[in-house]
Amino acid sequence: MKRSIFFGLLAAMLLSTPAQAAQVEQTQRAERSVVVQVDGHWLESRGVVRDGVTYVPLGSLLDALGDWDLTWDAGAAAAVAVSGERTLIADPAADTVTLDGVSHSAVVSVEQGRTMVPLRLVGELLGATVEWDPYLSGAAVTSPDAPYNAVDYYWLSRIISAESQGEPLEGQIAVGNVVLNRVESDQFPDTIAGVVFDQKYAVQFEPVENGTVYSDPYRLSLEAAGRVLDGETTVDGALYFYAPDLSPGTWINANRTYLTTIGCHRFYL
C-alpha cells in the first residue's frame, strides 16, 4: 500500500513538473523590465511590462510629472496623491485609479513597498502623452507642459552629444539642424528617431554603430537640442556633415555641395 502511494505521488510530481515549468516560462515571457523616460530623462525607477501593459511606480512617475505629494493611507489601504486641488487615489484592493472623484478600472499592485500603476492610463489622466519608443525599447512620456516631444528631444540631444560633444554650441546646433533637415526631406525618414537610426543605405551616423548614441548627453547638447527644436539654425539646408580628421568623406565630397565648416565638421547640402 505504501509503495503504491509512493509511486502515485512520484507520477503526480513527474506529470506536474513540465506544466509548472511551462507556466514559469510563460510568466517570464509575459513580464519584463523596461526603461521609461519622461521629457527626455529617464524615470528614476524602471517599469515592467506585463501582458502588453507597462506599469511604473506611482511615486516615480508623479515626481517626474510635477508637484505631487504622495502618501499611503493605511485606513483606506490605498496610495493618495495630492497636487493643489487635484487628488489621485490608486486602490490595489478595488483595482481602480481615481482622479478628482472619477474612477477608472486598472490593475494596481504594491510591490516592494511601491504602488505600481498602468503608465498609459495614469499618464494620460494627468494630461501627458505616452508612447512606445521601439528604438529605446521602452516608454516615452511627454508631460503636459513640456516644450518638446519626449522622443524627439531624447534622441536629438543624444545624437548631437555623441557626434559633437566638445564642439562649440554653434557646431552642435548645426549637427541637430542636419537631423531636422533630413526629417523634412523626402529622401529620409520623417521622424527624428527614424533619421538617427536610418539604415536604408547603411548606418548613417557612427554613434549608432558604436553605441555612443545611447550615452547620456552633455549639458550643452541638451541646450543645443532645445534650440534646434525651437527653430534655431546655423546651417540652412545642410543634409550631410563629416569630420575630416576622422573620415575622408570621399562620397560626400564627390556628390554633395559644400556649405561651411564649423569646428571640426564640414557641412554639405
Side-chain angles (χ1 to χ4, degrees):
M1 182 69 176
K2 290 182 178 179
R3 178 176 294 183
S4 63
I5 292 174
F6 170 77
F7 282 112
L9 290 172
L10 180 60
M13 290 172 64
L14 290 173
L15 288 171
S16 64
T17 299
Q20 290 171 345
Q23 185 176 11
V24 170
E25 183 180 354
Q26 184 177 6
T27 300
Q28 290 174 340
R29 286 200 306 267
E31 177 174 319
R32 61 189 176 91
S33 176
V34 294
V35 294
V36 178
Q37 63 105 336
V38 179
D39 296 335
H41 305 281
W42 284 4
L43 201 65
E44 179 183 350
S45 302
R46 292 175 69 94
V48 60
V49 174
R50 296 185 182 123
D51 298 322
V53 178
T54 302
Y55 296 88
V56 295
L58 179 59
S60 294
L61 179 61
L62 293 180
D63 284 344
L65 287 179
D67 186 21
W68 287 85
D69 182 20
L70 177 65
T71 58
W72 178 259
D73 187 330
V80 179
V82 177
S83 178
E85 297 181 354
R86 310 197 75 188
T87 300
L88 185 147
I89 302 171
D91 189 336
D95 268 342
T96 58
V97 172
T98 303
L99 179 64
D100 300 333
V102 180
S103 294
H104 305 265
S105 295
V107 176
V108 179
S109 61
V110 177
E111 303 170 19
Q112 298 179 338
R114 301 179 303 176
T115 304
M116 303 292 290
V117 297
L119 172 62
R120 184 176 297 277
L121 172 66
V122 175
E124 291 181 350
L125 284 176
L126 298 178
T129 300
V130 181
E131 54 191 308
W132 185 259
D133 181 353
Y135 302 101
L136 179 67
S137 293
V141 181
T142 305
S143 65
D145 299 323
Y148 320 112
N149 173 270
V151 176
D152 289 347
Y153 186 61
Y154 186 92
W155 289 119
L156 185 62
S157 62
R158 278 158 176 77
I159 194 62
I160 290 174
S161 182
E163 283 282 6
S164 60
Q165 57 182 275
E167 290 291 293
L169 180 60
E170 179 187 8
Q172 297 200 32
I173 290 172
V175 168
N177 290 155
V178 168
V179 174
L180 258 64
N181 289 342
R182 288 190 175 195
V183 170
E184 295 173 1
S185 168
D186 58 9
Q187 303 174 51
F188 299 94
D190 58 3
T191 66
I192 288 174
V195 165
V196 170
F197 291 95
D198 182 20
Q199 297 188 34
K200 184 177 181 180
Y201 301 110
V203 175
Q204 297 292 300
F205 297 97
E206 181 68 21
V208 171
E209 192 163 46
N210 63 31
T212 54
V213 72
Y214 300 102
S215 301
D216 289 338
Y218 285 82
R219 180 195 58 77
L220 196 60
S221 301
L222 292 169
E223 180 183 346
R227 290 193 178 208
V228 170
L229 291 170
D230 283 336
E232 188 170 337
T233 180
T234 58
V235 285
D236 263 340
L239 292 173
Y240 297 86
F241 67 88
Y242 79 96
D245 289 344
L246 302 176
S247 169
T250 305
W251 182 89
I252 295 178
N253 281 312
N255 294 276
R256 310 306 299 189
T257 302
Y258 171 75
L259 178 63
T260 189
T261 297
I262 303 176
C264 72
H265 287 120
R266 291 169 60 91
F267 293 86
Y268 292 75
L269 300 174

